[in-house]
Amino acid sequence: MDGPLMLERVLGHAKDADWHDRLHALEHLGGLEQVSIPEAEAARKRFRIATDRGRDCAIALPRDQMLMDGSVLYCRDGLAIVARIDGGARMRLVPATVADALRLGHWCGNLHWKVVFGPGWMDVVLDGPEARYRERLRDLAGLARFTIEDPP
């Protein structure tokens, strides 16, 4: 039995003009496959996954590359594989000051929470019940001022 197809680097992005046209043509020929990756797992560099057509793949990315929705991971011999990042539930944290943001970021990092940063906010990618996250944040309430909002 053959081993998994090795996907060892991000070749480009599906929205780039050159890739868009090439992927569109391959899709019409039945040569486009996708790997659906939960958002909480997208930061990992090495893991096994199957495409939407059951092809066994092993992702092993260099440290300087990140998976994003639309990352082209393979394109050869009439086959292209594109990553699709499944957006999960999130909870938005908005710190009151920069000092609060540092404490909040440190706290979330120590808990190994997956986060996405934006201007003045951070979204925690929920990998379980939101109540569990809120409970852990109550312990931080005396150390950092922040509000919890619903992400847009």
Side-chain angles (χ1 to χ4, degrees):
M1 184 168 122
D2 292 328
L5 178 62
M6 295 300 297
L7 308 175
E8 299 176 306
R9 64 188 179 103
V10 174
L11 304 174
H13 195 275
K15 289 185 180 177
D16 295 341
D18 291 344
W19 281 110
H20 180 268
D21 294 343
R22 186 184 301 175
L23 295 173
H24 184 73
L26 283 170
E27 183 176 22
H28 283 289
L29 297 171
L32 180 62
E33 296 183 24
Q34 297 179 6
V35 289
S36 183
I37 302 166
E39 187 172 25
E41 300 296 316
R44 292 178 56 200
K45 300 294 183 188
R46 298 179 180 277
F47 56 96
R48 293 269 297 256
I49 194 163
T51 69
D52 58 343
R53 294 195 188 155
R55 186 182 310 272
D56 185 24
C57 297
I59 294 178
L61 297 179
R63 291 179 190 257
D64 64 337
Q65 289 193 332
M66 292 183 59
L67 281 175
M68 298 185 314
D69 188 56
S71 291
V72 179
L73 300 173
Y74 187 87
C75 190
R76 194 177 311 149
D77 303 322
L79 171 67
I81 298 175
V82 176
R84 291 293 169 213
I85 309 300
D86 297 332
R90 294 179 180 201
M91 180 173 55
R92 180 160 289 181
L93 306 177
V94 181
T97 67
V98 171
D100 294 320
L102 290 170
R103 288 186 194 97
L104 186 60
H106 185 262
W107 183 269
C108 292
N110 281 343
L111 292 172
H112 301 280
W113 289 355
K114 306 288 188 209
V115 296
V116 177
F117 295 97
W121 53 264
M122 61 189 286
D123 283 352
V124 177
V125 179
L126 304 180
D127 188 25
E130 183 176 334
R132 189 178 78 200
Y133 288 83
R134 286 179 178 269
E135 184 177 313
R136 297 302 301 264
L137 287 168
R138 275 194 275 283
D139 296 337
L140 179 62
L143 301 173
R145 293 170 297 139
F146 59 94
T147 57
I148 300 173
E149 300 177 359
D150 291 326

